Amino acid sequence: MFDYYFFDLDGTLTDPAQGITNSFIHAIKYFGLEVPSYEKLCTFIGPPLVATFQKEFGFDDEKCMEGVKKYREYFAQKGIFENKVYEGIEDLLVQLREKGKHLVVATSKPEEYSVKILEHFKLAEYFDYICGSNMDETRSKKEEVIEYALGKCGIGAGGETDSVTCSEKSKVLMIGDREHDIIGAKKNGIKSCGVLYGYGSRKELEAAGAEYIIEAVGGLLEL
């Protein structure tokens, strides 16, 4: 059905809860704010950092960038590897590659960090491209990252092109755990699959308009 599979990173390929929540705690304490519950902190997994600081704490642009800087103080040193691969993910990637599928990471996490994480867990070799945001928080919206990834694959207008070509966006599926993945896919004219083992709810994914929703990693291979 699909030839290209775009994967979100956090909450889809790996469970980053410990590293991300600890990084937010580090930043929140710097500003002297009350640290939310662990359950609330987990809702911050997925969206771009700036969007979270704006929405959850009412920061202006300048304060948001300061928050991102403090978050990364912890994340770059410790949080980046306070992470684990979901059970079954590597087997899924192996089987998809054996079937001749093209695999791409499309994440709002900075590309530099994403490459390090996937190399650390020895998953980088399965992907044609690892696409993320820039360190200055540009290209951090999911629709921007997906557009960038499509361009890298030679799909659609604009972006980089190479020997990998495909004329139909109908051959691309975006897989992620939050509404941002689903909405970003729709804005780029591709289908999406929401996963319930991450940090989004069925209600969130259905409301965003996911074409498919699966409960476990095994469901992805069945799809």
Side-chain angles (χ1 to χ4, degrees), residues 16 19-20 23 74-83 109 112-117 120-121:
I20 288 181
S23 299
Y74 183 93
F75 188 82
Q77 297 298 317
K78 297 181 180 179
I80 188 170
F81 299 131
E82 291 178 335
N83 199 343
K109 185 182 290 298
E112 179 181 325
Y113 292 157
S114 302
V115 170
K116 288 181 179 179
I117 290 167
H120 174 76
F121 289 116

Side-chain angles (χ1 to χ4, degrees), residues 19-92:
I20 288 181
T21 55
N22 284 342
S23 299
F24 270 113
I25 289 170
H26 178 79
I28 292 166
K29 286 183 175 179
Y30 169 79
F31 291 104
L33 300 173
E34 182 179 354
V35 176
S37 67
Y38 178 76
E39 289 72 22
K40 179 64 176 178
L41 288 169
C42 283
T43 68
F44 300 169
I45 299 172
L49 293 178
V50 168
T52 297
F53 282 119
Q54 288 175 335
K55 177 183 176 182
E56 302 295 339
F57 302 100
F59 286 6
D60 59 23
D61 291 346
E62 183 177 351
K63 201 169 182 179
C64 277
M65 294 313 296
E66 190 176 6
V68 169
K69 180 180 178 181
K70 301 307 293 186
Y71 174 99
R72 288 181 178 163
E73 274 184 1
Y74 183 93
F75 188 82
Q77 297 298 317
K78 297 181 180 179
I80 188 170
F81 299 131
E82 291 178 335
N83 199 343
K84 60 183 178 180
V85 180
Y86 284 112
E87 185 176 353
I89 283 294
E90 185 167 13
D91 287 342
L92 170 70

Side-chain angles (χ1 to χ4, degrees), residues 25-215:
I25 289 170
H26 178 79
I28 292 166
K29 286 183 175 179
Y30 169 79
F31 291 104
L33 300 173
E34 182 179 354
V35 176
S37 67
Y38 178 76
E39 289 72 22
K40 179 64 176 178
L41 288 169
C42 283
T43 68
F44 300 169
I45 299 172
L49 293 178
V50 168
T52 297
F53 282 119
Q54 288 175 335
K55 177 183 176 182
E56 302 295 339
F57 302 100
F59 286 6
D60 59 23
D61 291 346
E62 183 177 351
K63 201 169 182 179
C64 277
M65 294 313 296
E66 190 176 6
V68 169
K69 180 180 178 181
K70 301 307 293 186
Y71 174 99
R72 288 181 178 163
E73 274 184 1
Y74 183 93
F75 188 82
Q77 297 298 317
K78 297 181 180 179
I80 188 170
F81 299 131
E82 291 178 335
N83 199 343
K84 60 183 178 180
V85 180
Y86 284 112
E87 185 176 353
I89 283 294
E90 185 167 13
D91 287 342
L92 170 70
L93 300 178
V94 168
Q95 291 187 58
L96 288 174
R97 288 304 296 256
E98 288 177 347
K99 293 175 183 293
K101 304 302 182 181
H102 296 285
L103 310 182
V104 178
V105 172
T107 173
S108 293
K109 185 182 290 298
E111 194 167 296
E112 179 181 325
Y113 292 157
S114 302
V115 170
K116 288 181 179 179
I117 290 167
L118 291 165
E119 287 180 344
H120 174 76
F121 289 116
K122 296 180 172 56
L123 297 181
E125 64 188 270
Y126 299 112
F127 295 97
D128 294 351
Y129 303 106
I130 298 171
C131 302
S133 64
N134 296 313
M135 291 297 286
D136 64 0
E137 286 300 301
T138 56
R139 201 176 66 220
S140 63
K141 293 181 179 179
K142 187 49 72 82
E143 60 263 31
E144 296 171 336
V145 176
I146 294 174
E147 181 181 20
Y148 169 59
L150 288 168
K152 295 283 277 186
C153 295
I155 303 171
E160 298 179 39
T161 59
D162 57 20
S163 60
V164 180
T165 59
C166 179
S167 60
E168 297 181 277
K169 289 184 176 181
S170 63
K171 296 297 184 182
V172 185
L173 181 70
M174 177 69 211
I175 301 165
D177 67 315
R178 299 301 305 272
E179 63 180 355
H180 309 82
D181 302 302
I182 311 306
I183 294 169
K186 285 192 174 300
K187 289 186 176 180
N188 280 280
I190 64 174
K191 290 185 177 180
S192 60
C193 175
V195 299
L196 295 178
Y197 59 81
Y199 290 89
S201 66
R202 180 179 291 275
K203 181 179 179 181
E204 174 184 333
L205 296 169
E206 287 179 344
E211 280 81 10
Y212 310 97
I213 297 178
I214 63 99
E215 294 187 359

